[in-house]
């Protein structure tokens, strides 16, 4: 692996996966050109396995980002993933599936339920963030006003 590829893999694994998948799709025809039937099937199987590995890695990255976004939005994952069952605490990992290449991805139904919960919570979350930043900006304006008032008072008293 070249240095640039290592840097991209380190800093942006999602981009690395997409780039490698596109290279595999483009290069498959070149790799099977001039091969006999058995060799051609072997190359096709190898490329398919590499594609599946990178697609699973990409899905794992997407699932991790989805879970992180849900946590950022203060969504209780136990309620979403377990249907609110109190006996199933801390079983988020029970909803993950280990793929043949060793990647931990969310099940299809779990991923769909998590996306739905995020979509339902998004308007309220945006409103909360907007109110928070409005409060912060008003606080900054008050502090700047106080600093200006104090400096004006000091200037008047100094004369």
């Amino acid at each position: 692996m070249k240095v640039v590829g290592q840097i991209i893999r380190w800093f942006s694994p999602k981009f690395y996966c997409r780039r490698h998948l596109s290279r595999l799709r483009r290069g498959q025809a070149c790799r099977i050109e001039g091969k006999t039937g058995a060799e051609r099937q072997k190359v096709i199987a190898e490329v398919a396995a590499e594609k599946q590995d990178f697609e699973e890695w990409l899905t794992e990255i997407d699932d991790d980002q989805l879970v992180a976004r849900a946590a950022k939005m203060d969504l209780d994952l136990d309620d979403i993933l377990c249907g609110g069952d109190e006996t199933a605490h801390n079983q988020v990992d029970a909803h993950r599936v280990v793929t043949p290449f060793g990647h931990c991805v969310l099940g299809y139904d779990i991923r769909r339920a998590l996306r739905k919960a995020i979509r339902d919570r998004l308007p309220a979350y945006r409103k909360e963030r907007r109110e928070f930043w409005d409060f912060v900006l008003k606080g900054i304006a008050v502090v700047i006003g106080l600093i200006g008032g104090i400096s004006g008072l000091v200037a008047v008293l100094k004369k």
Side-chain angles (χ1 to χ4, degrees), residues 23-75:
R23 283 184 178 179
L24 284 173
R25 289 184 185 113
R26 284 180 288 161
Q28 182 176 4
C30 296
R31 288 175 68 180
I32 61 174
E33 191 174 298
K35 305 272 185 181
T36 62
E39 293 172 342
R40 179 177 288 197
Q41 292 300 324
K42 183 179 177 184
V43 169
I44 290 173
E46 288 173 0
V47 170
E50 278 188 74
K51 281 183 188 177
Q52 184 179 359
D53 184 25
F54 280 102
E55 287 169 352
E56 288 175 1
W57 188 14
L58 196 57
T59 304
E60 182 180 22
I61 293 169
D62 288 338
D63 288 348
D64 290 341
Q65 290 175 347
L66 191 65
V67 169
R69 186 171 185 190
K72 183 179 177 186
M73 295 175 75
D74 293 330
L75 290 172

Side-chain angles (χ1 to χ4, degrees), residues 133-143:
W133 283 109
D134 188 40
F135 178 74
V136 168
L137 290 175
K138 286 180 182 178
I140 291 172
V142 166
V143 169

Side-chain angles (χ1 to χ4, degrees), residues 136-154:
V136 168
L137 290 175
K138 286 180 182 178
I140 291 172
V142 166
V143 169
I144 290 173
L146 287 174
I147 291 172
I150 291 171
S151 65
L153 184 63
V154 168

Side-chain angles (χ1 to χ4, degrees), residues 110-121:
I110 303 304
R111 188 178 307 118
R112 192 175 64 192
L114 192 58
R115 284 186 180 145
K116 182 182 182 303
I118 289 173
R119 193 173 44 248
D120 292 343
R121 172 84 170 95

